[in-house]
Amino acid sequence: MSSVRNRMQNIILSGCLLFAAGSAMAEDIAAAVKARLADVAVVRGDFEQQKTLAGFRKPAVSRGDFVIARDRGVLWVTKSPFSGSLRLTRNEIVARTGDQQTMRLTASEQPGMQSVSRLLFGLLSGDLAPLADSFEIAGELRGAQGWQLALTPKTPALQKMFKRIDLEGDRYVRRVKLAEASGDSTDIRLSNVGSQPATLTPDEVKRFE
């Protein structure tokens, strides 16, 4: 019995050590990426998004521009093949086509939304540590400035939405790949990314209201 007990204790101890090592690795890569990301309040740029539906080969491609404001949220403005906008804050997602609101989801209606918001705001601020509660984080540094991350959701709410999220970047996020639980996938490439002007314009402030 003592040998069996000792073996079980060794297995439990080994599991604890592996978990601790995995947590340390996640913290290490998060800290390393934080050191490489630009610490700015506002980020702007252009995007190209390819959405591939399960069972279809040809992706739907859309293009536009975006604004991420640390204290406000995200404005995602599609310009082609149609005009539309998406406003994401910590508490809600609002979609518009022209002047017409077509969707509004609050955090209470969509529990996974807050985790997605935390993901975006965490990347903007360079504070990835809180994401460890919702995602398994793995990755690597590339060259002098680059990095790559793979986030696997841990919570049931996020697992209903995503299988995995892959991110690439340097001082800014440059690419986001979403493998969705439905089998669909989204590949977003960001370009012309910068932080000037350093604060929101009056028009951008109005669009966040």
Side-chain angles (χ1 to χ4, degrees):
M1 289 294 293
S2 62
S3 63
V4 173
R5 187 181 300 112
N6 290 337
R7 187 179 302 170
M8 290 300 296
Q9 289 174 344
N10 288 337
I11 290 173
I12 293 172
L13 177 60
S14 298
C16 291
L17 290 173
L18 285 171
F19 177 79
S23 298
M25 289 175 63
E27 291 176 2
D28 288 346
I29 189 63
V33 170
K34 178 180 179 179
R36 294 193 171 192
L37 283 168
D39 184 13
V40 293
V42 179
V43 175
R44 299 176 181 80
D46 301 322
F47 71 84
E48 178 180 281
Q49 175 177 298
Q50 296 189 12
K51 175 79 172 184
T52 303
L53 301 178
F56 291 83
R57 292 185 178 181
K58 189 174 181 179
V61 180
S62 59
R63 297 178 177 86
D65 56 48
F66 68 91
V67 179
I68 304 176
R70 180 182 296 167
D71 297 331
R72 296 288 188 124
V74 180
L75 289 174
W76 197 258
V77 181
T78 302
K79 295 183 176 180
S80 68
F82 57 85
S83 297
S85 68
L86 188 71
R87 185 183 73 220
L88 169 66
T89 67
R90 297 183 188 275
N91 298 315
E92 67 177 7
I93 297 176
V94 177
R96 293 182 177 276
T97 300
D99 295 329
Q100 183 178 1
Q101 179 175 301
T102 56
M103 180 189 73
R104 182 176 181 270
L105 289 177
T106 65
S108 59
E109 295 169 333
Q110 182 57 264
M113 194 200 78
Q114 286 185 323
S115 296
V116 175
S117 297
R118 270 203 311 273
L119 171 65
L120 290 170
F121 298 141
L123 284 169
L124 174 63
S125 64
D127 187 9
L128 297 172
L131 298 179
D133 292 337
S134 302
F135 295 92
E136 297 285 354
I137 302 175
E140 62 180 6
L141 301 181
R142 296 177 173 177
Q145 290 188 315
W147 51 267
Q148 177 271 332
L149 290 175
L151 282 68
T152 305
K154 295 192 295 187
T155 65
L158 281 172
Q159 288 170 350
K160 291 180 180 179
M161 300 171 65
F162 305 111
K163 291 181 180 178
R164 172 173 161 148
I165 301 174
D166 292 297
L167 303 130
E168 299 176 13
D170 39 54
R171 295 187 67 245
Y172 303 104
V173 179
R174 301 291 181 177
R175 188 176 187 183
V176 181
K177 297 174 68 176
L178 307 173
E180 300 173 36
S182 63
D184 298 346
S185 63
T186 304
D187 188 351
I188 304 170
R189 295 176 183 268
L190 308 180
S191 59
N192 301 319
V193 184
S195 57
Q196 294 299 321
T199 59
L200 293 174
T201 66
D203 178 64
E204 291 167 344
V205 171
K206 184 177 180 180
R207 287 158 61 191
F208 269 115
E209 294 175 348

